[in-house]
């Protein structure tokens, strides 16, 4: 997902600088692989400043996921609107995903990654991830015609989106994944009409 960079990192207040740094490192390298010392050094703050804003790594993880959710869901809704129209509807999912996959920083879904990485050791991460996926379903639902099956169809499409994301993240050819996703999308929308 192309994200416009905020002002220079050094110009941000300490809390936002730590959060932006955590976002880049957690998403790019993984949560467990990113230690507190690395975060402190990369964000250019002291340990005292770091712990004043984030008393524990768990506090920072939660803030990172909230931050990532806001960035991603805003981008997703905007991309669906940019790529969609009344005629296209849910077909806007395909160019939206392709836009995200073409970003050099693409590392899959941060919420799937965090849930897999931290597993059942963090019920809070699992809950934040569920909420994120619910909002993704709502965004997909907004592209579909009204009807009693709208929610179920949005849930099915969200499941397909997550599968496609994982396939691209695993290194499968994005064009092949896009082609298969498009076939699945068309078949799903046709059977639901």
């Amino acid at each position: 997902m192309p994200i416009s960079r905020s002002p220079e990192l050094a110009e941000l207040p300490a809390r936002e600088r730590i959060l932006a740094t955590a976002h880049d490192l957690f998403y790019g390298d993984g949560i467990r692989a990113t230690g507190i010392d690395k975060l402190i050094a990369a964000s250019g703050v002291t340990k005292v400043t770091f712990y004043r804003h984030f008393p524990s790594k768990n506090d920072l993880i939660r803030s990172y996921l909230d931050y990532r959710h806001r960035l991603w869901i805003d981008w997703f809704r905007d991309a669906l609107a940019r790529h969609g129209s009344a005629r296209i509807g849910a077909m806007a999912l395909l160019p939206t995903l392709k836009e995200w996959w073409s970003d050099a920083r693409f590392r899959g879904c941060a919420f799937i990654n965090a849930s897999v990485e931290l597993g059942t050791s963090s019920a809070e991460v699992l809950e934040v991830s569920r909420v994120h996926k619910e909002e993704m379903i709502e965004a997909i639902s907004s592209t579909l015609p009204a009807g009693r099956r709208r929610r179920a169809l949005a849930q099915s499409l969200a499941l397909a989106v997550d599968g496609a994301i994982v396939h691209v993240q695993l290194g499968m050819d994005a064009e092949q994944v896009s082609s298969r996703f498009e076939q699945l999308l068309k078949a799903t929308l046709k059977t639901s009409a």
Side-chain angles (χ1 to χ4, degrees), residues 17-77:
R17 194 170 352 135
I18 295 165
L19 194 52
T21 302
H23 174 270
D24 292 348
L25 292 174
F26 285 166
Y27 184 66
D29 300 338
I31 294 170
R32 286 193 173 147
T34 304
I36 296 297
D37 289 339
K38 183 176 184 177
L39 284 161
I40 290 169
S43 60
V45 297
T46 65
K47 277 190 179 193
V48 170
T49 300
F50 179 89
Y51 285 111
R52 184 176 344 116
H53 292 288
F54 300 100
S56 72
K57 188 173 181 181
N58 285 341
D59 293 325
L60 180 58
I61 292 167
R62 172 60 195 253
S63 294
Y64 151 69
L65 289 173
D66 289 341
Y67 177 78
R68 177 67 183 189
H69 171 72
R70 284 189 308 277
L71 286 175
W72 192 89
I73 204 70
D74 289 348
W75 167 82
F76 187 62
R77 289 180 189 279

Side-chain angles (χ1 to χ4, degrees), residues 153 184-193:
L153 180 57
L184 178 63
L185 187 56
K186 285 179 179 177
T188 303
L189 293 172
K190 183 177 181 180
T191 60
S192 70

Side-chain angles (χ1 to χ4, degrees), residues 150-182:
R150 183 182 198 179
R151 171 102 178 136
L153 180 57
Q155 289 171 320
S156 296
L157 292 174
L159 187 61
V161 165
D162 284 338
I165 290 167
V166 170
H167 277 82
V168 173
Q169 183 179 9
L170 292 173
M172 296 178 183
D173 181 71
E175 283 306 313
Q176 287 181 356
V177 173
S178 295
S179 177
R180 291 182 184 129
F181 181 78
E182 182 177 18

